[in-house]
Amino acid sequence: QVQLEESGGGLVQAGGSLRLSCAASGRSSSYAMGWFRQTPGKERDFVAAINRCGGSTAYADSVKGRFTISRDNAKNTVYLQLNSLKPQDTADYCCSGVYSRNVVSRRSGYDYWGQGAQVAVSS
């Protein structure tokens, strides 16, 4: 079992950048990891995912070319770099984990979730 904690959220102007971090309590190197985001009244949507070794990634079309997922297994941490932010990127961003060697992009494919980090983008 692994516990996840996000950090790095905040308020930023449109066009700006943020980096979110997701620290795992245990050894996360055997876990595929992902980022999802949610706004009030809507379902949690896929943003990005990475396999356990970091060699494969996947992105939602809405963030391709702007967001980058990466991981440092020595630090048990996964990152999401958010560039060229838009007001529509405003959401609560949650990281997720599952024991798998593959990239997992389905919400139902994950077993572990963090509490979330709020990202707000002003126009």
Side-chain angles (χ1 to χ4, degrees):
Q1 190 172 357
V2 63
Q3 292 182 327
L4 306 173
E5 182 174 4
E6 302 91 341
S7 60
L11 174 64
V12 64
Q13 288 188 332
S17 298
L18 282 173
R19 189 177 79 157
L20 302 179
S21 299
C22 174
S25 62
R27 185 177 177 182
S28 61
S29 58
S30 296
Y31 288 76
M33 303 294 291
W35 287 95
F36 290 74
R37 65 186 182 186
Q38 187 172 24
T39 55
K42 296 189 177 181
E43 292 188 345
R44 191 173 287 175
D45 291 330
F46 170 71
V47 175
I50 190 167
N51 70 342
R52 62 186 185 186
C53 70
S56 294
T57 58
Y59 296 93
D61 288 343
S62 59
V63 306
K64 279 182 182 177
R66 300 189 298 122
F67 292 8
T68 303
I69 188 171
S70 62
R71 66 189 300 162
D72 184 339
N73 285 340
K75 296 182 178 180
N76 292 318
T77 302
V78 176
Y79 305 98
L80 185 68
Q81 179 68 40
L82 296 75
N83 296 332
S84 302
L85 281 160
K86 305 174 181 179
Q88 52 264 46
D89 294 319
T90 295
D92 187 54
Y93 285 73
C94 294
C95 70
S96 54
V98 62
Y99 185 80
S100 173
R101 67 179 62 189
N102 300 317
V103 174
V104 179
S105 59
R106 293 176 294 109
R107 184 176 64 242
S108 62
Y110 285 94
D111 294 324
Y112 304 105
W113 295 88
Q115 293 298 309
Q118 184 67 39
V119 171
V121 184
S122 63
S123 57

